[in-house]
Amino acid sequence: MNAEIIAVGSELLTPTKLDTNSLWLTDQLNTLGIEVVQKTIVGDERARLAAVISGALERSDLVLITGGLGPTEDDVTRDAVCLALGRCQQFRQELCDQIAARFARIKRPMAEINKRQAFLIDGAEALPNERGTAPGQWLAVGAKAIALLPGPPGELKGLWAAEVLRRVTAMVPPLHIATAHFRVAGMGESDLDALIAPAYTRYTNPVTTILAAPGDVHIHLRARCAEQAEAEALVTELGAQVRELLGDRIYSEDGADLETVAGRLLRARGESLSVAESMTGGMLGQRITSVPNSSDYFRGGFLTYTNEMKHSLLGVPEAMLAQYTAVSEQVAIAMAQGARERTRSTWALSVTGYAGPAGENVGNVYLGIASPTMAEARHIQFGFDRNRIRNMSATTALDWLRKHLK
Amino acid sequence: MNAEIIAVGSELLTPTKLDTNSLWLTDQLNTLGIEVVQKTIVGDERARLAAVISGALERSDLVLITGGLGPTEDDVTRDAVCLALGRCQQFRQELCDQIAARFARIKRPMAEINKRQAFLIDGAEALPNERGTAPGQWLAVGAKAIALLPGPPGELKGLWAAEVLRRVTAMVPPLHIATAHFRVAGMGESDLDALIAPAYTRYTNPVTTILAAPGDVHIHLRARCAEQAEAEALVTELGAQVRELLGDRIYSEDGADLETVAGRLLRARGESLSVAESMTGGMLGQRITSVPNSSDYFRGGFLTYTNEMKHSLLGVPEAMLAQYTAVSEQVAIAMAQGARERTRSTWALSVTGYAGPAGENVGNVYLGIASPTMAEARHIQFGFDRNRIRNMSATTALDWLRKHLK
């Protein structure tokens, strides 16, 4: 079974706005075994939109239209569907009452203009929208169907879950899904792909999707079978091979991010953490504290952006800074030790390096780690982009801590 | 003049990939006065793509197709254009030689399969691609035109600049452009719009675009006229009204971000900055140091995530913490003063608050600022989303510093 998605709105044809709803809808559809074969983005123009809808309905079994259900003259989705199908729409008092009730709940007056949202296309079912004023509509056209859905993502998702999902599910044979979500730090996408491709390319089910952010690769496995046990067995089988090939480079098997995983390990051990940051300037601390309840294990840290601060705040000896420079193994270790002593944390991480903009040492980074029983430094050479160097440094430091905690 | 963009590639119909090339192309086209009226995303399917191309060429003056120019069987854009137009394509030895030369330059062997990229559609001009193996193609069809462009963004942009821009420019009357880019912190998009709409809605030229990130709103003005002086006069005229309405809420008139603007002011005054962060955990420092050469004015900071750290690292009196709690005006001021004294910076900013996840005080934030002559605190109540509270706190602190520095 095939589907198409039509995103309606002139703002989606400007240089700054993308139709992101379609990604979420595609994921929902793929989960049901439905493939998206075409996506169209069109402005608030009745005739053009009607032509797009006609074409989509000719080609595909299911047409999802997002946006254009608002109360203004610009909102032409209802009219365009009527035009495409040669149907009329009628004012429905019960829809108008629902819209009025919603305005009453949020204690705002309902404008006359909102009555436009109470028109229902002949033959359509109204889909109540708990999160907004625009009801959706579901329209069976022979064995095919069109859904009119609101554009705001929160409304779209709510309405999908409450009303659309079961209608779409009824159109396809039942499928059971099993998934796995691995995450790997410290490996490029192409290296990782080269390593695991021999395993996953032998399977068309599960489908493997590899998605990369700098220093952080996501591996999604998704099996679809007639039986749940069969889907789970397939994911387990391929998952075991992926685990075998990647070993402890996998930091997460449930999609949790690196700071969350490191935090879980610290909490489980009843241990604490502090940081000493030069080049990253707070990025490492910011990531650690992005995790709710990170105050359970994060004590604090030092941003020491100058040699003087490394000395006065962390106690790095002036002679060491003079002899080895601030970007050195020695200073990385002294920074971590200084942070650990001053915060009385179990662990401390440090970052010192050159993020640019200029100079031959750009990308030259030392990480330090200290615990009650050890202190080590690690040298890494990154590329030349300031933001990337900082991000990769923070990621590598967190992954290094994770490996020490395991 | 109207244009359509067609993005080709089955990966663009998955739940994880968006066609972002079209945003960049839309910006380029709008600059020339060309409006994008429809965008289509279609997989690597010859017949489907051919139908999309036929439809686009019927509706629009210019059709830009991105992707599908690679060497494999999956790459069907050339074939689909031939199918749509009823034209043939021919192998061109000179194109093949160019592709071979490129492989020679990067010292890799050219595969036999790459010869597929040396086929030119009858009547098309080949567009050399300096950054990849796939040449583009430009095809005039009566007064209309189709451009076949590579999908990788770097190749697309290079080829656009070198080959396509002048061909498209020749299709439209000459226009001169003037722009302004204001940024405003600490105001929601709808409040800002309500304030300046009476001014900008009186102009259709310049076009005004308002774009919002949390706590940070961009206002773009773009005038297009037959004469440069006329375009600049229009932007100056509307810009003056926007400036009058927003006053010192405008922090940037050249698009620079808040941390860059605050940094410029510090550098100009020869002054320095430190931070003391609780709830933001490094986010403020990370933003300040995201600016190249921020070491000219940023000295360092303290991440004090616990009461104990606020006391031991910043010298906040234990009695004060006990009496007022860590989230108070008194502690915000003491944190800023503590950071300033310990780093000997001119200015210090502090943030303390509750970012959640739970509790009735979530979103309750105090900011502190200290200089040689003053220390103040400011209370703000934000919403309930952890990440948003942290981001808005950092933004508000930076904007507060900016206002003090002006």
Side-chain angles (χ1 to χ4, degrees):
Chain A
M1 179 168 156
N2 284 343
E4 290 196 30
I5 300 171
I6 302 169
V8 183
S10 295
E11 74 281 7
L12 299 172
L13 294 170
T14 64
T16 51
K17 289 248 196 276
L18 279 173
D19 157 42
T20 52
N21 281 335
S22 68
L23 295 186
W24 188 85
L25 286 173
T26 299
D27 191 45
Q28 295 287 317
L29 292 166
N30 289 354
T31 298
L32 298 170
I34 301 170
E35 205 192 337
V36 175
V37 294
Q38 194 162 321
K39 301 200 286 190
T40 308
I41 296 137
V42 60
D44 304 308
E45 287 184 56
R46 206 172 315 235
R48 190 182 294 276
L49 176 55
V52 169
I53 293 166
S54 300
L57 196 62
E58 247 170 64
R59 289 183 297 258
S60 298
D61 305 308
L62 175 65
V63 179
L64 303 178
I65 310 173
T66 59
L69 297 182
T72 75
E73 285 290 331
D74 276 354
D75 294 295
V76 297
T77 298
R78 286 175 299 264
D79 297 356
V81 173
C82 288
L83 195 57
L85 300 182
R87 297 200 189 188
C88 293
Q89 53 187 328
Q90 316 291 340
F91 177 77
R92 295 294 187 101
Q93 188 59 48
E94 72 275 21
L95 288 186
C96 191
D97 293 345
Q98 285 165 19
I99 296 168
R102 187 185 152 78
F103 275 101
R105 273 203 307 284
I106 60 172
K107 298 192 171 46
R108 287 170 60 177
M110 173 173 159
E112 185 64 23
I113 202 176
N114 286 92
K115 289 193 176 168
R116 289 192 75 220
Q117 300 181 295
F119 278 79
L120 190 67
I121 298 165
D122 289 351
E125 295 171 76
L127 309 175
N129 178 354
E130 295 298 326
R131 305 186 190 180
T133 57
Q137 303 198 24
W138 175 269
L139 195 56
V141 184
K144 299 185 172 188
I146 301 180
L148 287 71
L149 304 170
E155 298 183 31
L156 171 69
K157 292 176 187 177
L159 203 142
W160 176 270
E163 297 290 340
V164 185
L165 178 57
R166 64 191 154 87
R167 288 177 170 85
V168 175
T169 304
M171 296 175 76
V172 290
L175 268 182
H176 292 270
I177 310 281
T179 61
H181 182 178
F182 297 95
R183 295 181 70 168
V184 175
M187 233 188 145
E189 184 181 10
S190 51
D191 288 348
L192 182 142
D193 190 56
L195 194 58
I196 67 170
Y200 77 73
T201 51
R202 286 188 285 115
Y203 294 79
T204 53
N205 188 23
V207 169
T208 301
T209 312
I210 298 175
L211 196 67
D216 191 6
V217 183
H218 299 247
I219 308 165
H220 294 268
L221 312 182
R222 179 149 66 179
R224 297 191 291 224
C225 299
E227 302 295 332
Q228 184 66 35
E230 195 191 349
E232 275 166 19
L234 280 170
V235 164
T236 304
E237 184 183 312
L238 177 53
Q241 296 171 47
V242 168
R243 206 178 287 115
E244 174 76 27
L245 289 165
L246 290 170
D248 81 341
R249 280 178 283 208
I250 295 172
Y251 70 77
S252 168
E253 297 206 359
D254 63 357
D257 59 26
L258 196 43
E259 37 276 31
T260 300
V261 170
R264 283 180 194 160
L265 291 166
L266 286 166
R267 186 183 284 112
R269 295 167 62 121
E271 295 179 344
S272 60
L273 176 64
S274 63
V275 297
E277 305 189 50
S278 179
M279 182 194 67
T280 43
M283 188 180 274
L284 189 54
Q286 182 264 311
R287 284 182 56 177
I288 293 164
T289 59
S290 70
V291 180
N293 298 315
S294 45
S295 56
D296 293 353
Y297 47 81
F298 186 65
R299 297 180 61 79
F302 301 83
L303 314 182
T304 55
Y305 220 54
T306 64
N307 279 2
E308 190 191 337
M309 289 296 115
K310 288 179 184 70
H311 172 64
S312 71
L313 302 187
L314 290 169
V316 180
E318 285 175 325
M320 182 188 281
L321 287 160
Q323 187 177 351
Y324 299 106
T325 82
V327 181
S328 64
E329 197 177 308
Q330 290 80 0
V331 169
I333 289 176
M335 285 171 68
Q337 286 174 324
R340 209 184 79 77
E341 283 158 20
R342 281 160 183 74
T343 62
R344 275 165 270 158
S345 61
T346 325
W347 297 88
L349 286 172
S350 69
V351 186
T352 179
Y354 298 110
E360 60 189 276
N361 287 319
V362 172
N364 192 24
V365 176
Y366 285 89
L367 306 178
I369 192 167
S371 78
T373 56
M374 55 75 85
E376 288 175 37
R378 197 171 147 186
H379 177 231
I380 310 171
Q381 181 66 46
F382 292 114
F384 288 91
D385 175 74
R386 180 179 180 84
N387 189 40
R388 197 180 162 90
I389 295 166
R390 285 162 41 106
N391 263 309
M392 294 283 286
S393 299
T395 298
T396 309
L398 285 168
D399 196 44
W400 197 27
L401 171 67
R402 174 188 69 87
K403 286 180 178 164
H404 275 97
L405 290 172
K406 266 187 51 176
Chain B
M1 179 169 156
N2 285 344
E4 290 195 30
I5 300 171
I6 302 169
V8 183
S10 296
E11 74 282 6
L12 298 173
L13 294 170
T14 64
T16 52
K17 289 249 195 276
L18 278 173
D19 157 42
T20 52
N21 281 335
S22 68
L23 294 187
W24 188 85
L25 286 173
T26 299
D27 191 46
Q28 295 286 315
L29 291 167
N30 289 356
T31 298
L32 298 170
I34 301 170
E35 204 191 339
V36 175
V37 293
Q38 194 162 323
K39 302 200 286 188
T40 309
I41 295 137
V42 60
D44 303 308
E45 286 185 58
R46 206 172 317 235
R48 190 182 295 276
L49 177 55
V52 169
I53 293 166
S54 300
L57 196 61
E58 246 170 64
R59 288 182 298 258
S60 298
D61 305 307
L62 175 65
V63 179
L64 303 179
I65 311 174
T66 59
L69 297 182
T72 74
E73 284 291 330
D74 276 355
D75 294 296
V76 297
T77 298
R78 285 176 299 265
D79 297 357
V81 172
C82 288
L83 195 58
L85 300 182
R87 297 201 189 188
C88 294
Q89 53 187 327
Q90 317 289 340
F91 177 78
R92 294 295 186 99
Q93 189 59 50
E94 72 274 20
L95 288 186
C96 191
D97 294 345
Q98 286 166 18
I99 296 168
R102 186 185 154 79
F103 276 100
R105 274 203 306 283
I106 60 171
K107 297 193 171 47
R108 288 171 60 178
M110 173 174 159
E112 184 65 21
I113 202 177
N114 286 92
K115 288 192 176 168
R116 289 192 74 222
Q117 300 182 295
F119 278 80
L120 189 68
I121 298 164
D122 289 352
E125 296 171 74
L127 309 175
N129 178 354
E130 296 298 325
R131 305 186 189 180
T133 58
Q137 303 199 23
W138 175 268
L139 195 55
V141 184
K144 299 184 172 189
I146 302 179
L148 287 70
L149 305 170
E155 297 183 30
L156 171 70
K157 291 176 188 178
L159 203 142
W160 176 270
E163 298 289 340
V164 185
L165 178 58
R166 64 191 153 87
R167 288 177 170 85
V168 176
T169 304
M171 295 175 76
V172 291
L175 269 182
H176 292 270
I177 311 281
T179 62
H181 182 178
F182 297 94
R183 295 180 70 168
V184 174
M187 230 186 146
E189 183 180 9
S190 50
D191 288 347
L192 183 142
D193 191 56
L195 194 58
I196 67 170
Y200 76 74
T201 51
R202 284 189 287 116
Y203 293 80
T204 53
N205 188 22
V207 169
T208 300
T209 312
I210 298 175
L211 196 68
D216 192 6
V217 183
H218 298 247
I219 307 165
H220 294 268
L221 312 183
R222 179 149 66 179
R224 298 189 291 223
C225 299
E227 301 296 333
Q228 185 66 36
E230 195 191 348
E232 276 164 18
L234 281 171
V235 164
T236 303
E237 183 182 313
L238 177 54
Q241 296 171 46
V242 168
R243 204 178 289 115
E244 174 77 26
L245 289 166
L246 290 170
D248 81 342
R249 281 177 283 210
I250 295 172
Y251 70 78
S252 168
E253 297 206 358
D254 63 357
D257 59 26
L258 195 44
E259 36 275 32
T260 300
V261 171
R264 283 178 193 161
L265 290 167
L266 285 166
R267 186 183 285 112
R269 295 167 63 121
E271 295 180 343
S272 61
L273 176 64
S274 63
V275 297
E277 305 189 51
S278 178
M279 182 193 69
T280 43
M283 188 180 272
L284 189 55
Q286 181 264 312
R287 284 182 57 178
I288 293 164
T289 60
S290 70
V291 180
N293 298 315
S294 44
S295 56
D296 293 353
Y297 47 82
F298 186 65
R299 297 181 62 79
F302 301 83
L303 314 181
T304 54
Y305 220 54
T306 64
N307 279 2
E308 190 192 336
M309 289 296 115
K310 290 179 183 70
H311 173 64
S312 71
L313 302 187
L314 290 169
V316 180
E318 285 174 325
M320 182 189 281
L321 287 160
Q323 186 178 350
Y324 300 106
T325 82
V327 181
S328 62
E329 196 178 308
Q330 290 81 359
V331 170
I333 289 176
M335 285 172 67
Q337 285 174 324
R340 208 184 80 77
E341 282 158 20
R342 280 159 183 74
T343 62
R344 275 165 271 157
S345 61
T346 325
W347 298 87
L349 286 173
S350 69
V351 187
T352 179
Y354 298 111
E360 60 187 277
N361 287 319
V362 171
N364 192 23
V365 176
Y366 285 88
L367 306 178
I369 192 166
S371 78
T373 55
M374 54 74 87
E376 286 175 39
R378 197 171 147 185
H379 178 231
I380 310 171
Q381 180 65 45
F382 292 115
F384 289 90
D385 175 74
R386 180 178 180 84
N387 189 41
R388 198 180 162 90
I389 294 167
R390 285 161 40 104
N391 262 310
M392 294 284 287
S393 300
T395 298
T396 309
L398 285 168
D399 196 44
W400 197 28
L401 172 67
R402 175 188 69 86
K403 287 181 178 164
H404 274 97
L405 290 172
K406 267 188 51 177

